[in-house]
Amino acid sequence: MLNMYKKKALNLAILGGSVVVIALSLYLVRSQTTVVETSWMKAVIPHHSIAILTSERANEIIEAQRKEIDEMKRLIEELQSQE
């Protein structure tokens, strides 16, 4: 990749520019400089909503699995009693 262009200076300029862009992006993400309190809270609301939906679904799955386990236990008992 470093030899993509024949001019070594152009390759170094692209590499250097990429390093600067990555470093700047990492700084902005880590420092949260571009995020004001209200925009952060507005962005977190959907995140928490998804957590609530996931938890509710998890509880429904747990209840359904418990019912199925109970039903299978009853069927096992019924089949074993017929042996």
Side-chain angles (χ1 to χ4, degrees), residues 6 13-14 17-18 20 35 40-43 46 50-52 70 76:
K6 292 180 182 179
I14 291 171
S18 299
V20 169
V35 179
W40 179 82
M41 286 187 274
K42 288 177 183 176
I50 291 169
I52 291 169
D70 290 340
I76 289 170

Side-chain angles (χ1 to χ4, degrees), residues 74-83:
R74 283 192 299 274
L75 287 170
I76 289 170
E77 288 175 11
E78 183 180 320
L79 290 170
Q80 287 178 339
S81 68
Q82 293 177 2
E83 292 178 353

Side-chain angles (χ1 to χ4, degrees), residues 18-78:
S18 299
V19 169
V20 169
V21 167
I22 290 171
L24 180 62
S25 299
L26 185 60
Y27 168 76
L28 289 173
V29 167
R30 299 292 297 159
S31 69
Q32 300 287 313
T33 302
T34 59
V35 179
V36 294
E37 289 180 9
T38 56
S39 63
W40 179 82
M41 286 187 274
K42 288 177 183 176
V44 171
I45 290 171
H47 169 75
H48 284 260
S49 297
I50 291 169
I52 291 169
L53 289 173
T54 303
S55 297
E56 288 173 348
R57 288 185 191 141
N59 289 335
E60 291 171 6
I61 291 170
I62 290 168
E63 289 176 29
Q65 294 298 311
R66 284 184 176 149
K67 288 178 184 177
E68 288 182 16
I69 289 169
D70 290 340
E71 183 178 347
M72 286 186 277
K73 286 179 179 179
R74 283 192 299 274
L75 287 170
I76 289 170
E77 288 175 11
E78 183 180 320

Side-chain angles (χ1 to χ4, degrees), residues 1-15:
M1 196 70 152
L2 289 174
N3 298 320
M4 194 164 133
Y5 298 105
K6 292 180 182 179
K7 296 180 181 179
K8 197 169 197 170
L10 183 57
N11 283 325
L12 290 175
I14 291 171
L15 181 62

